C-alpha cells in the first residue's frame, strides 16, 4: 500500500502569548514544529505499513525550511519525502492549498492519504476534506481508530459529537486523525541517520502542472482583511477584604445570580 | 507578497517581535520578510511607519455576484435530535437576512423529520427546504454534500451557514470545494459590510491567539461554519409563518462510498456542560484529585456542571469530556466560576461568552481577572470550603 501523509510545518502555539500592555502577540523565540496532529497521522501510516507492507511518503507544502519537518518524518518512519514549494503558493487559503496538494499527491501516486484533523495555526480542519474532494476519493474525518485493513477497504471509527461511528471506506481514500488514535513513537537512531541523508524531492508549481490562477493569494476565494487580538470587555468588580468577608459577598452574588 | 517600503521602514522591529510565524527579521536596519510569511496581515496595522502592505488585488475565480441572493442555514439533525447550534444559526441568519432584506431559508436533511420544519419556522426561518430520505438517516459526507451542493446550485443563495460541529466541519468543506466557494472556519462573528453587502466573517486562529476577519470578494456563496454556543437563538414564536418545501433529489446523489456500519452513542463523550446555567471549573490550582473534589461539591450545591482546564485534565483529576477551551468544549452558562485557573487564552476562548464570570485566584495578576465580572484574590482552599459550608447552611 502506498500511503501519502500530509505534514505541515507550524509555529509552536504554546509559546505565543498576548502582551497585556500592547494587546498584541508577544512572540519569544517561537519555534517551528511539525503540526502535532500530523505526527499521529504519520504514526498511523507507519503502523499500517508495518501490518500490510508498502511505502510511506511524507509530503509537505511550504517554504524550503519545511524540509525540516520532512526529515523529522523520515526519522519517525517515512520512506520518502516530498516538498512542494514555490513562491507562488504564498497566501493560499484552504481551497488553493487543497488544489496544490491534490496536484502533488496525484503526481506522487497513492492508495491512501492520511492528514491531521487540523493544523494548529490556521485551525480550519478544511484541507483534509478539500484534498479528498479534489482527488475525487472518499474520506472520513476525525478518525480515532483503524479497526481493520482488508485489501481494498478500511474499517474506521469516526469521532462524533455524541459518540462515534463505525465505518467502512473503500480505497483509494483519505482520512484525517484525532490525537487519541495512537501514541507517536520517538525517532530511532537508524531513522535519524536516514533522515540526515535522505534526498528530498522538491516539486514546484510547474512540476505539478498547476494552473497559476489557482495558486496562492490569487487563487484563494477567502481573504483575510483584518487581524486583531481578542478583546474581552467586562465591567469588573473585585471582591476584597478578609476571607470571611469575601465569602459573604460571593455567596450574596451567587444567591442573586443562581 | 508582503511589500516593505524600504524608504519608510525604520527598522524598529515591532513587526519582527509580533510576527506569529517568525517570518520577519530586521537586517541592516530594514525589515525583511521570509518565505514562511503567511500573508496574515497582522504586521501591516502594527507598523508605525506605515511601511508594510499586502497587495490584495487578487483576481480569484470570478462569478457574477448579483445572481446570488438569500441567506441559508444548514439545520443539523441527527438521530432524532436537532443540534442546538441549528437554532443559534437561525438567530444569526435572521439578523443577516433582515440586514440584507432577503429571506432566511433553513435546509433540513435526514430521515423522519416530521414536525422539525415547524420548529425551525418558529425560530426564525421564512422557508424550510426538506430532503427526507432513508439514505440520509445516517450521516455520510458523500450523500449530504451531494444533496446540499445540488440545492445550492438550484437556488443560488449568497450566504450559507452551518454549525462548526463534527458533521458540519466534515462535509461542508466538500460542498465549498465543489462550488469553488470560499469557506471560513469556526466563526464567532458575522456582520454585513455596509458598503457592499459582503459578509464579514470573524474567527479565532492560531489557537485563539489572534482573531481574523475574512471576506470572500469574488466567489458565491459566502460560506462559514460557525462555532456552537456563540450566536443566540430567537425565542420560539408559534405564530410565525413560513413555507415548507419538499426538495426532490436525484436518487443517484444519495449514495455514499463510505458505509456506516454502526453508530455508537456514548455517554463518556457527552457532558451536560452546554445545557446547565452554572459551570464550576477548576485548574491546576486545585493541586490534586482531592482538591478538585471541592469543584464537584460546589457544582452539585449550585445545580451546575463541572468543568476543568487542560492542566487539570492532563493531571488526571477529571475526564477530558469536562475540558473547556480551544481543544475542549465551548460553554456559555449564566455563571462560570473559574477556580485556580490562570486564564490562558486557550482556556478563555472556550468560556468567554459566559454571562457572568467569577474568578478565584491567589495571583492578583492572573489573566483570568481580565475577563472576570467578579474577582476574588485568595486561596481556593480557604475560600471554597467556606462557600460550600455557607451554601449548605442555607
Ligand atoms: C489567521 C488566518 C485565518 C485563516 N482562516 C481561513 C479560513 O477561514 N478559511 C480558509 O479557507 N483559509 C483560511 N486561512 C488559510 C489557511 O490557514 C491556509 O490555507 C493553510 O494553508 C491551510 O489551512 P490550515 O492551516 O487551517 O490547515 P487544516 O485544514 O487545519 O489542516 C488539516 C491537515 O491538512 C494537512 N495540511 C494542511 N496544510 C498543509 C500543508 N501546507 N502541507 C501539507 N499538509 C498540509 C495536514 O495534514 C493538516 O493536519 C487562514 C489563514 C490565517 C493566517
Ligand atoms: C494548542 C493548545 C491548546 C490548548 N487547549 C486548551 C484547552 O482546551 N483548555 C485549557 O484549559 N487549556 C488549553 N491549553 C493549555 C493552556 O495554554 C494552559 O496551559 C492551561 O489552560 C493552564 O491551566 P490552568 O489555568 O489550570 O493552570 P496554570 O496556568 O498553571 O494556572 C494555575 C493557576 O492557579 C492559581 N493557583 C494556584 N494555587 C492556588 C490556590 N491555592 N488558590 C488560588 N489560586 C491558585 C495560580 O495563581 C495560577 O494562576 C492549550 C494549549 C495549547 C498550546
Amino acid at each position: 500500500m502506498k500511503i501519502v501523509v500530509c505534514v505541515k510545518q507550524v509555529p509552536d502555539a504554546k509559546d505565543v502569548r498576548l502582551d497585556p500592555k500592547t494587546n498584541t502577540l508577544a512572540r519569544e523565540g517561537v519555534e517551528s514544529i511539525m503540526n502535532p496532529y500530523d505526527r499521529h497521522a504519520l504514526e498511523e501510516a507507519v503502523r499500517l505499513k508495518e501490518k500490510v507492507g508498502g511505502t510511506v511518503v511524507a509530503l509537505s507544502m511550504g517554504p524550503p525550511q519545511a524540509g525540516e519537518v520532512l526529515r523529522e518524518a523520515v526519522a519517525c518512519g517515512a520512506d520518502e519525502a516530498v516538498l512542494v514549494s514555490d513562491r507562488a503558493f504564498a497566501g493560499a487559503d484552504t481551497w488553493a492549498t487543497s488544489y496544490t496538494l491534490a496536484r502533488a499527491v496525484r503526481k506522487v501516486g497513492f492508495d491512501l492519504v492520511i492528514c491531521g484533523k487540523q493544523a494548529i495555526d490556521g485551525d480550519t480542519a478544511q484541507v483534509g476534506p478539500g484534498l479528498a474532494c479534489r482527488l475525487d476519493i472518499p474520506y472520513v474525518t476525525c478518525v480515532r481508530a483503524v479497526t481493520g485493513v482488508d485489501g481494498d477497504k478500511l474499517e474506521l471509527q469516526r469521532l462524533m459529537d455524541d459518540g462515534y461511528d463505525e465505518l467502512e471506506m473503500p480505497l483509494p481514500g483519505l482520512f484525517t486523525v484525532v490525537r487519541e488514535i495512537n501514541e507517536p513513537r520517538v525517532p530511532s537512531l537508524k531513522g535519524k541517520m536516514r533522515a540526515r541523508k535522505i534526498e528530498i524531492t522538491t516539486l514546484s508549481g510547474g512540476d505539478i502542472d498547476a494552473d497559476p490562477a489557482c495558486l496562492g493569494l490569487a487563487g484563494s476565494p477567502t481573504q483575510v482583511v483584518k487581524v486583531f487580538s481578542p478583546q474581552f470587555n467586562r465591567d469588573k468588580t473585585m471582591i476584597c477584604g478578609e476571607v470571611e468577608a469575601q465569602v459573604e459577598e460571593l455567596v450574596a452574588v451567587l444567591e442573586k445570580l443562581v | 507578497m508582503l511589500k516593505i517600503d524600504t524608504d519608510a521602514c525604520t527598522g524598529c522591529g515591532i513587526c519582527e517581535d509580533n510576527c506569529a510565524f517568525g517570518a520577519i527579521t530586521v537586517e541592516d536596519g530594514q525589515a525583511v520578510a521570509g518565505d514562511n510569511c503567511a500573508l496574515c496581515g497582522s504586521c501591516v496595522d502594527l507598523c508605525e511607519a506605515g511601511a508594510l502592505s499586502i497587495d490584495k488585488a487578487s483576481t480569484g475565480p470570478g462569478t457574477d455576484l448579483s445572481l446570488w441572493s438569500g441567506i441559508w442555514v444548514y439545520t443539523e439533525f441527527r438521530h432524532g435530535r436537532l443540534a442546538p447550534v441549528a437554532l443559534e444559526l437561525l438567530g444569526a441568519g435572521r439578523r443577516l437576512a433582515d440586514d440584507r432584506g432577503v429571506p432566511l431559508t433553513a435546509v433540513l436533511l435526514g430521515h423522519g423529520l416530521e414536525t422539525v420544519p415547524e420548529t425551525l419556522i418558529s425560530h426564525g426561518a421564512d422557508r424550510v427546504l426538506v430532503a427526507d430520505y432513508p439514505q440520509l438517516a445516517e450521516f455520510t459526507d458523500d450523500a449530504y454534500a451531494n444533496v446540499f451542493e445540488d440545492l445550492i446550485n438550484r437556488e443560488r443563495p449568497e450566504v450559507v451557514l452551518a454549525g462548526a460541529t463534527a458533521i458540519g466541519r466534515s462535509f461542508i468543506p466538500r460542498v465549498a470545494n465543489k462550488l469553488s466557494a470560499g469557506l471560513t472556519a469556526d466563526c464567532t462573528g458575522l456582520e454585513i459590510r455596509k458598503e457592499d453587502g459582503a459578509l464579514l466573517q470573524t474567527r479565532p486562529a492560531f489557537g485563539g491567539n489572534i482573531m481574523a476577519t475574512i471576506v470572500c470578494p469574488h466567489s458565491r456563496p459566502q460560506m462559514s461554519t460557525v462555532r456552537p454556543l456563540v450566536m443566540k437563538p430567537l425565542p420560539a414564536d408559534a405564530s410565525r409563518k413560513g413555507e415548507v418545501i419538499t426538495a426532490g433529489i436525484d436518487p443517484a446523489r444519495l449514495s455514499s462510498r463510505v458505509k456506516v456500519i454502526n453508530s455508537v452513542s456514548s455517554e463518556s463523550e457527552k457532558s451536560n456542560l452546554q445545557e446547565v446555567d452554572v459551570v464550576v471549573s477548576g485548574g491546576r490550582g486545585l493541586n490534586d484529585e482531592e482538591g478538585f473534589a471541592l469543584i464537584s461539591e460546589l457544582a452539585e450545591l449550585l445545580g451546575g456542571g463541572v468543568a476543568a482546564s487542560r492542566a487539570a485534565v492532563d493531571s488526571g483529576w477529571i475526564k477530558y469530556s469536562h475540558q473547556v477551551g480551544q481543544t475542549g468544549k465551548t460553554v456559555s452558562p449564566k455563571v462560570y466560576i473559574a477556580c485556580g485557573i490562570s486564564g490562558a487564552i486557550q482556556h478563555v476562548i472556550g468560556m468567554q461568552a459566559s454571562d457572568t464570570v467569577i474568578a478565584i485566584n491567589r495571583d492578583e495578576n492572573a489573566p483570568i481577572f481580565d475577563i472576570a465580572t467578579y474577582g476574588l484574590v485568595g486561596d481556593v482552599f480557604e475560600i471554597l470550603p467556606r462557600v460550600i459550608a455557607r451554601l449548605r447552611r442555607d
Side-chain angles (χ1 to χ4, degrees), chain A residues 12-17 36-37 120 123 179, chain B residues 206-209 281-287 308-314 317 320 323-329 336 338-350 360-369 376-383:
Chain A
D12 190 354
K14 74 172 184 296
D15 294 345
V16 182
R17 269 182 191 272
Y37 289 89
I120 61 166
D123 267 341
R179 294 170 95 154
Chain B
F206 217 99
N209 283 302
S281 189
R284 204 193 310 270
L286 274 305
N287 280 345
S309 71
R310 183 157 115 181
V313 172
D314 286 350
W317 306 336
Y320 166 72
Q323 181 176 318
V324 162
Q326 176 74 11
T327 42
K329 298 231 154 43
Y336 187 92
C339 311
I341 292 179
S342 60
I345 188 77
Q346 294 89 357
H347 185 78
V348 167
I349 202 104
I360 307 174
N361 195 305
R362 68 177 174 200
D363 172 9
E364 61 179 319
N365 293 317
I368 191 74
F369 289 126
L376 286 83
V377 178
D379 187 329
V380 285
F381 297 107
E382 290 187 13
I383 295 173

Side-chain angles (χ1 to χ4, degrees), chain A:
Chain A
M1 190 179 330
K2 186 161 183 182
I3 309 173
V4 177
V5 183
C6 296
V7 295
K8 185 180 183 190
Q9 189 178 42
V10 297
D12 190 354
K14 74 172 184 296
D15 294 345
V16 182
R17 269 182 191 272
L18 271 185
D19 182 333
K21 270 178 254 94
T22 57
N23 213 5
T24 54
L25 278 181
R27 185 185 58 80
E28 287 137 43
V30 177
E31 270 184 82
S32 289
I33 56 167
M34 186 191 299
N35 180 38
Y37 289 89
D38 301 352
R39 283 185 180 285
H40 298 266
L42 178 67
E43 175 66 25
E44 204 57 27
V46 174
R47 287 186 190 187
L48 276 169
K49 180 188 98 169
E50 285 165 356
K51 204 178 276 171
V52 298
T55 45
V56 173
V57 183
L59 183 142
S60 186
M61 171 184 128
Q65 58 263 42
E68 292 161 22
V69 294
L70 288 172
R71 287 195 192 279
E72 202 179 327
V74 170
C76 296
D79 302 294
E80 294 167 30
V82 178
L83 177 67
V84 194
S85 190
D86 199 313
R87 288 202 150 234
F89 300 157
D93 76 351
T94 60
W95 191 90
T97 301
S98 303
Y99 170 82
T100 311
L101 287 177
R103 308 264 348 156
V105 169
R106 248 195 225 301
K107 175 107 190 168
V108 167
F110 67 98
D111 300 301
L112 173 65
V113 182
I114 311 181
C115 292
K117 174 195 163 205
Q118 71 191 65
I120 61 166
D121 52 352
D123 267 341
T124 68
Q126 290 173 185
V127 169
L131 174 57
C133 182
R134 282 272 158 194
L135 292 169
D136 199 18
I137 55 172
Y139 68 92
V140 174
T141 58
C142 297
V143 169
R144 61 167 221 177
V146 178
T147 49
V149 202
D150 144 18
D152 52 2
K153 61 178 192 299
L154 295 180
E155 282 165 35
L156 305 168
Q157 286 186 358
R158 168 174 67 197
L159 189 65
M160 300 295 284
D161 294 328
D162 61 355
Y164 62 93
D165 284 350
E166 291 169 350
L167 308 166
E168 211 173 79
M169 181 178 76
L171 294 175
L174 176 150
F175 65 85
T176 77
V177 304
V178 294
R179 294 170 95 154
E180 67 177 273
I181 191 167
N182 57 39
E183 197 54 58
R185 68 193 70 186
V186 289
S188 64
L189 196 61
K190 210 169 121 222
K192 279 188 188 157
M193 272 157 63
R194 246 175 60 70
R196 229 172 287 136
K197 280 186 251 148
I198 192 126
E199 187 93 34
I200 297 176
T201 309
T202 305
L203 300 175
S204 68
D207 294 332
I208 56 171
D209 295 320
D211 175 355
C214 296
L215 297 178
L217 198 58
S220 295
T222 65
Q223 280 186 5
V224 179
V225 287
K226 191 173 144 202
V227 176
F228 55 102
S229 308
Q231 306 238 313
F232 313 101
N233 294 322
R234 270 178 217 278
D235 289 331
K236 183 172 58 176
T237 311
M238 290 307 283
I239 298 177
C240 307
E242 295 295 311
V243 179
E244 303 297 341
Q246 278 182 312
V247 168
E248 282 312 309
E249 208 175 326
L250 177 59
V251 170
V253 167
L254 285 174
E255 279 169 348
K256 195 173 71 195
L257 292 172
V258 179

Side-chain angles (χ1 to χ4, degrees), chain B residues 9-23:
Chain B
C9 176
T10 60
C12 70
I14 291 179
C15 53
E16 179 177 10
D17 292 345
N18 286 287
C19 176
F21 296 87

Side-chain angles (χ1 to χ4, degrees), chain B residues 302-322:
Chain B
L302 295 170
V306 177
S309 71
R310 183 157 115 181
V313 172
D314 286 350
S315 306
W317 306 336
I318 183 150
K319 279 205 299 248
Y320 166 72
S321 54
H322 294 265

